[in-house]
Amino acid sequence: MLELKDVGEVIASRDLTLDKTGKLTVLIGKPQRLADIDWYCPYQKVGIGSGKVKRAAGVDPVQALAMALSMLGAELYCSQEYEAGRLSWDGGAVEGDLGFPVPPNIQDVLPRGAGGGSNRNQNTGK
């Protein structure tokens, strides 16, 4: 099993607010080839949890990146900090929006009107 010490080259990051004055930083690394047919995208949350570098896999770099964003969304929206109302993002479309997508099976954790296409059809009545 591949154990990562850091995310490597950071291609994106986001700062979230923790407890109104603290900070949680999300780091997303450049997707990399794991084997001849697999790719992974490393990511890390610094400020809550273990800070351990994790990875999402895909068949190509785009899928690995999309999976990393979705896994981050699931971890953040399902975190104790978010559920307690301690985690926020100033760029959110609505209160409680952290700006990350989540897998279809847990879209009910998103605040109504949040980004990522989660409630698009509900909001437009389509």
Side-chain angles (χ1 to χ4, degrees):
M1 183 174 182
L2 177 67
E3 187 173 331
L4 302 171
K5 303 225 182 285
D6 60 46
V7 297
E9 181 182 345
V10 175
I11 62 167
S13 65
R14 173 170 290 162
D15 289 331
L16 302 173
T17 303
L18 180 63
D19 293 328
K20 299 185 181 174
T21 58
K23 182 170 76 168
L24 162 68
T25 301
V26 174
L27 302 172
I28 301 167
K30 180 180 177 181
Q32 300 175 45
R33 194 176 277 282
L34 181 59
D36 289 341
I37 59 170
D38 293 317
W39 287 81
Y40 73 93
C41 183
Y43 66 92
Q44 183 179 26
K45 299 182 310 273
V46 179
I48 63 171
S50 69
K52 182 178 177 182
V53 177
K54 298 181 181 179
R55 64 185 166 102
V59 297
D60 63 18
V62 172
Q63 187 182 42
L65 175 59
M67 293 299 296
L69 291 169
S70 187
M71 290 173 70
L72 275 163
E75 291 176 17
L76 291 168
Y77 284 110
C78 295
S79 71
Q80 293 177 346
E81 291 82 2
Y82 181 80
E83 290 179 358
R86 299 174 47 213
L87 196 56
S88 63
W89 179 50
D90 290 340
V94 296
E95 185 176 343
D97 180 13
L98 301 178
F100 286 94
V102 296
N105 62 326
I106 65 165
Q107 288 197 354
D108 61 328
V109 302
L110 294 174
R112 186 167 183 80
S118 61
N119 295 312
R120 188 172 300 152
N121 292 338
Q122 293 174 6
N123 292 339
T124 61
K126 293 181 183 176

